Amino acid sequence: MTDEIDRLRREIAERESELADLRSQLAVAESERREADGDAQTAYRDWKWPLREDEYERYSRQMIVPNFGLQGQLRLREAKVLLVGAGGLGCPAAAYLAGAGVGVLGLVDGDAVEVSNLHRQVAHATSRVGMPKVESAITYLKELNPTITYRAHPTHLTPQNAASIISQYDLVLDCTDHPTSRYLISDACVLLRKPLVSASAFQASGQLLRLNHPVARGPCYRCVFPRPPPPESVVGCGEGGVVGPVVGAVGVLQALDAIKLITQGGLEEAAADAPQQQASMLIFSAMADTMFRTVRLRGRREDCFACSAREDALTLEQMQSSLDYVQFCGVAAPVRLLRPAERVPAAEYARIAADRAASPHLLIDVREKEHFGLSSIPGSVNVPISRFMRPRGAAAEDEDEAPPDWIPADLPHSAPIYVVCRVGNDSQVAAQKLKELGLDRNGERFVGDIDGGLRAWRNDVDPTLPFI
C-alpha cells in the first residue's frame, strides 16, 4: 500500500509539472499570436510600445507606483536573478520576484520536498513530496507567471560549481540556512562582482542585509562576520524549530530588497567617486513589541580575506581548489563522548523498561520542554540539557549536598541513570556532565544514554512515536 501511495504521488507531481509547462507554453504562444496577427484589442499591426500588451496588463498595478514606472519594469525584465535555496526563504522570495516579472529566475537547491517543509515552504505541495525542490518550485511559479524564463539547478552549491552558476546572473539571493553556504555564496559574489541580498530566519526571528553593494565597494559577509559562530551554537530548524510566517516575512522582504535594487539601477557598479552608502542590517523579531529594528554595520574591512585589496586575498582558483568551508566553519563531527558499553541500544532499553519493578532506574529526556510535550518515551523525566550546564557549588558525591530536585527521592543509590535526546548527541553530552557532577558515584552507578535517541526508539521499538 505504501509503494502504491508513493507511486501515485510521483505520478501526480509529474502530471502537475507537465501541466504547468503546457500552460506556460500556451501563455507564450498566445502572446506571440497577439503580437504577430493582432486582435480586436490591438489597433495597429506593428506594436510600438516597449512592453508587450500582456505585460502592460499583468504588471500595471506596480508600474503606476511613484518612482517605479515603465523604466523599473524594463529593468526587471532585463534582470537575471539567482536564488540559492528553494525552502522557507526561497519560496516566497521566488514567488514575488516571478510575479514582479524578473526576466530570468534561477533556483539552486539539491534537496527534495518533505512533509515537514510544507508549513512554511509555500511553493511546494503535498502531492509533490519527494520531488526535487527546484522542480516543485518552478511548477508552482509557472502557474503564477508562465511568461518569464526559469532555470533549474537541482544541486547543492559547492566551491567547484559556484562560479559557473552564479556568473550567469546579475543578482544573487542567499536563501540558505547554514554558515558554510553563506560564506561560500558571499565569496563567490565578491569574486564575480555580483551584489548579494542575504537573509536568515530561525524560530521567531530573522535578519536581512545587502552585501557587496555597491559592487566592489560594499562589505561582504566576512566583513560583517569575520569569524563563523561556534559549531555547537548552530541549530537548524529540525532541532530549534521555526514559525512559518517568520520565514515568509523575511523571504518577502528579501524579494522586496531585490526589486528595489533592480528598479533603482542598483545592479550597475557605482562610480569610484560616488559617496559611500551606510551598510545596515534589518532585524525582525516576530514576538517582540517592536518587530523591526535596524543595526548599522561598519563598511568593508581593509584586512578582509575575501574583498580587500591585500595581495594574499582570496582568488577564484583558490576558492575552487583549496578552500574548505566546512573546516572553516568548524562543523562538528558526530559526538563520541561515551564508550560503547555506556551506550544502550533502544531495543535493549525497551526490555529493561518493561519491568521497572525488577530494574529500577531513571530515564532523563534532555530535550527542551516543547519537544518533550509533543512526544516522549513512557516513564521518562524531562530535564533540559541547559540545566546540567549550570554551575553547582560542589560535586554531587558530597554526602552533605542534596541530590538534584529531578532525581526521585525513592531512587536507589545504585539505580542506573539513562539519558535520551532526539538523535543521540545531546544525550552523550548530558551523560558526561552527570558523571562530572559525581552522579555515577565513582563508578558504582551506571550512567549512559540510549544510542540513537528517539529516532532509534521510533525505528526499533515504537513506530507510532511522533518523531519531531
Side-chain angles (χ1 to χ4, degrees):
M1 180 63 71
T2 301
D3 292 342
E4 177 67 7
I5 291 172
D6 291 342
R7 184 191 69 78
L8 289 171
R9 280 180 175 170
R10 286 195 300 271
E11 189 167 339
I12 289 171
E14 290 172 2
R15 296 293 181 272
E16 283 185 344
S17 181
E18 292 172 2
L19 184 59
D21 190 55
L22 287 172
R23 285 175 174 161
S24 177
Q25 293 178 41
L26 174 62
V28 172
E30 288 176 339
S31 174
E32 291 175 349
R33 179 179 176 180
R34 285 195 298 268
E35 289 183 0
D37 301 337
D39 55 26
Q41 300 175 16
T42 307
Y44 301 97
R45 184 176 183 84
D46 296 325
W47 185 256
K48 60 184 179 181
W49 307 102
L51 294 175
R52 300 190 309 268
E53 183 178 4
D54 64 291
E55 290 177 308
Y56 279 97
E57 182 177 5
R58 180 179 288 271
Y59 306 123
S60 61
R61 295 300 183 270
Q62 66 190 30
M63 287 194 292
I64 61 176
V65 172
N67 301 317
F68 193 107
L70 175 63
Q71 185 61 38
Q73 194 62 50
L74 290 171
R75 284 172 170 165
L76 279 171
R77 190 173 70 170
E78 295 301 315
K80 300 181 179 74
V81 181
L82 177 68
L83 281 74
V84 186
L89 295 170
C91 285
Y96 278 96
L97 288 171
V102 166
V104 177
L105 193 61
L107 290 93
V108 181
D109 200 309
D111 291 337
V113 179
E114 300 177 0
V115 172
S116 62
N117 301 149
L118 300 179
H119 85 286
R120 66 192 185 280
Q121 300 182 14
V122 294
H124 307 308
T126 302
S127 61
R128 297 197 292 276
V129 168
M131 185 184 236
K133 282 188 176 180
V134 292
E135 294 181 16
S136 172
I138 289 175
T139 298
Y140 167 83
L141 295 170
K142 283 182 176 179
E143 290 280 350
L144 177 66
N145 188 352
T147 68
I148 69 173
T149 300
Y150 300 97
R151 293 178 184 169
H153 305 278
T155 182
H156 294 293
L157 202 72
T158 68
Q160 289 70 43
N161 66 19
S164 62
I165 294 175
I166 291 176
S167 61
Q168 303 174 43
Y169 298 89
D170 306 313
L171 173 65
V172 179
L173 273 64
D174 181 355
C175 305
T176 62
D177 61 357
H178 200 277
T180 54
S181 301
R182 295 190 187 115
Y183 282 102
L184 167 61
I185 295 166
S186 174
D187 288 351
C189 287
V190 167
L191 295 170
L192 297 168
R193 305 178 78 83
K194 308 289 184 183
L196 171 64
V197 179
S198 181
S200 63
F202 178 65
Q203 293 184 340
S205 62
Q207 63 183 35
L208 173 74
L209 63 162
R210 186 186 296 179
L211 301 169
N212 198 36
H213 182 266
V215 173
R217 298 189 63 195
C220 72
Y221 195 80
R222 289 181 186 268
C223 294
V224 181
F225 303 104
R227 288 178 293 277
E232 64 273 11
S233 70
V234 179
V235 181
C237 294
E239 293 284 351
V242 63
V243 179
V246 172
V247 287
V250 178
V252 168
L253 290 171
Q254 206 172 4
L256 179 60
D257 199 49
I259 292 171
K260 179 180 175 181
L261 258 176
I262 295 167
T263 58
Q264 295 181 359
L267 300 186
E268 294 82 12
E269 293 193 24
D273 58 350
Q276 187 68 275
Q277 299 179 14
Q278 176 63 52
S280 63
M281 178 165 59
L282 179 67
I283 306 294
F284 174 55
S285 304
M287 303 305 178
D289 292 336
T290 302
M291 297 176 67
F292 293 96
R293 58 192 176 93
T294 302
V295 178
R296 296 181 63 182
L297 302 176
R298 62 176 294 175
R300 177 174 287 206
R301 292 176 179 264
E302 295 182 359
D303 61 345
C304 179
F305 172 64
C307 67
S308 70
R310 43 187 262 195
E311 293 182 359
D312 60 343
L314 179 65
T315 65
L316 196 59
E317 181 181 0
Q318 184 181 2
M319 184 190 77
Q320 294 173 328
S321 62
S322 60
L323 205 58
D324 189 334
Y325 289 88
V326 173
Q327 183 181 26
F328 172 70
C329 292
V331 176
V335 176
R336 293 187 178 89
L337 294 177
L338 301 181
R339 301 189 308 273
E342 297 170 316
R343 311 206 69 196
V344 179
E348 180 180 336
Y349 175 76
R351 290 191 290 271
I352 295 171
D355 191 355
R356 285 183 175 270
S359 303
H361 64 276
L362 176 64
L363 175 61
I364 303 172
D365 189 323
V366 297
R367 298 173 299 155
E368 294 301 319
K369 63 180 182 180
E370 291 80 8
H371 281 255
F372 185 79
L374 294 173
S375 64
S376 62
I377 297 175
S380 58
V381 175
N382 183 217
V383 186
I385 190 172
S386 56
R387 292 190 59 183
F388 298 138
M389 302 306 168
R390 296 172 185 169
R392 301 179 66 201
E397 68 246 25
D398 188 335
E399 296 298 333
D400 295 331
E401 183 181 350
D405 57 8
W406 40 263
I407 292 185
D410 58 350
L411 184 71
H413 282 190
S414 60
I417 296 179
Y418 301 95
V419 186
V420 67
C421 67
R422 186 170 181 266
V423 295
N425 290 329
D426 284 352
S427 58
Q428 293 185 67
V429 175
Q432 189 69 24
K433 186 64 176 179
L434 291 177
K435 291 181 180 182
E436 293 174 4
L437 295 174
L439 293 176
D440 65 339
R441 299 185 175 278
N442 292 321
E444 294 180 11
R445 166 188 278 161
F446 174 85
V447 177
D449 82 327
I450 296 179
D451 194 356
L454 289 176
R455 176 184 290 169
W457 184 266
R458 175 184 169 89
N459 292 339
D460 302 339
V461 179
D462 181 7
T464 69
L465 179 79
F467 179 68
I468 308 301

